[in-house]
Amino acid sequence: MKDAPYFLRPVGIVRSSLRSREGCPKQGGEGAPDAWLEIDPAFTEALDGIAVGSDMLILTWLHEGRRDLLRVHPRGNPDEPLRGVFATRSPDRPNPIGLHRVEVLEIQESDRIRVGPLEALDGTPVIDIKPVLPESEER
Amino acid sequence: MKDAPYFLRPVGIVRSSLRSREGCPKQGGEGAPDAWLEIDPAFTEALDGIAVGSDMLILTWLHEGRRDLLRVHPRGNPDEPLRGVFATRSPDRPNPIGLHRVEVLEIQESDRIRVGPLEALDGTPVIDIKPVLPESEER
């Protein structure tokens, strides 16, 4: 496949009730809702083997993130001293990739997956899906 | 910043004794060595706050991965039935992003970080670094 290096192809999109960055929980465990992942039909074969009840890692493209910030106030709190973005989970970072651990709640028509909790905005591109490794629970 | 959408900028590179995919452990915990991350000077400010002893997630661009495979034999074992790549951690996937949990072992000259264990090949581009979230140990 003749992709340019470092060029991502979205494999799906997040459909969520979360519509603005301001109203978004910082992490899934902080009250984020369930969301649907709509997978591009070109990639549904890659979902084979994902089952309801599985814990998965969803990688997203945080399309509203700022790529020119190298330090931020953690959690957007101006009282916190500035810290390098690689020491935070800020969506503002050179490559605005989000990493979300979710549970698979429902699979419909083989290309729609309900997962939760997910703190990503409606319309966020999905770029990868990975299983949580059983031996370590975090890779 | 006027990047094209979905275009990644490497922020550093892996320097490792691992030189070929064939000799690579499948996961860090399977005997992978320590490795150095050489961070591009343009991004060293983003490292501020990372300390020796921290657990971090390293995101890499698995540049030898095949992007046109949607099903693989898990762990490259032909006896395992084919499974969708999103249900595996195969480096062959539409967007070949690797996710590695490591410990920070040493920091030199503010832009060289020794981490381990890391199963990525020498020369693998680093695209993001994130802290492991303390409240969940896996996000």
Side-chain angles (χ1 to χ4, degrees), chain B residues 31-139:
Chain B
D34 300 342
W36 285 95
L37 308 182
E38 292 182 357
I39 304 303
D40 184 321
F43 298 105
T44 51
E45 200 182 322
L47 299 171
D48 181 35
I50 295 179
V52 170
S54 308
D55 284 329
M56 306 296 293
L57 300 169
I58 311 300
L59 278 69
T60 58
W61 184 257
L62 301 168
H63 57 303
E64 298 201 4
R66 283 186 56 180
R67 305 186 67 173
D68 57 340
L69 291 184
L70 297 180
R71 293 181 202 249
V72 295
H73 295 287
R75 298 182 61 82
N77 179 352
D79 295 337
E80 292 266 2
L82 284 170
R83 190 183 300 171
V85 293
F86 293 155
T88 80
R89 297 295 282 260
S90 172
D92 300 318
R93 50 205 312 117
N95 294 304
I97 297 172
L99 177 64
H100 320 270
R101 182 176 170 148
V102 298
E103 182 184 350
V104 176
L105 302 169
E106 188 177 350
I107 300 176
Q108 278 189 354
E109 296 158 26
S110 82
D111 62 357
R112 297 184 73 238
I113 306 179
R114 188 163 63 89
V115 300
L118 184 63
E119 74 277 19
L121 291 177
D122 185 62
T124 299
V126 175
I127 56 174
D128 201 6
I129 300 173
K130 297 179 188 293
V132 173
L133 292 183
E135 59 264 48
S136 67
E137 288 290 302
E138 78 282 316
R139 285 178 189 282

Side-chain angles (χ1 to χ4, degrees), chain A residues 59-136:
Chain A
L59 278 69
T60 58
W61 185 257
L62 301 168
H63 58 303
E64 298 200 4
R66 284 185 56 179
R67 305 186 67 173
D68 57 340
L69 292 183
L70 296 180
R71 291 180 203 250
V72 295
H73 294 287
R75 298 181 62 82
N77 179 353
D79 294 337
E80 292 265 3
L82 284 169
R83 190 183 300 172
V85 293
F86 293 155
T88 80
R89 296 295 281 258
S90 172
D92 300 319
R93 50 204 313 117
N95 294 305
I97 296 172
L99 177 65
H100 320 270
R101 183 176 170 148
V102 299
E103 182 183 350
V104 175
L105 301 170
E106 188 178 348
I107 301 176
Q108 278 189 355
E109 296 158 26
S110 83
D111 62 356
R112 298 183 72 240
I113 307 179
R114 188 163 64 87
V115 300
L118 184 63
E119 74 277 19
L121 292 177
D122 185 62
T124 298
V126 175
I127 57 174
D128 201 6
I129 300 173
K130 297 179 189 294
V132 173
L133 292 184
E135 57 265 48
S136 66

Side-chain angles (χ1 to χ4, degrees), chain B residues 20-35:
Chain B
S20 75
R21 185 167 163 178
E22 290 64 37
C24 235
K26 302 290 186 199
Q27 297 296 333
E30 299 176 15
D34 300 342

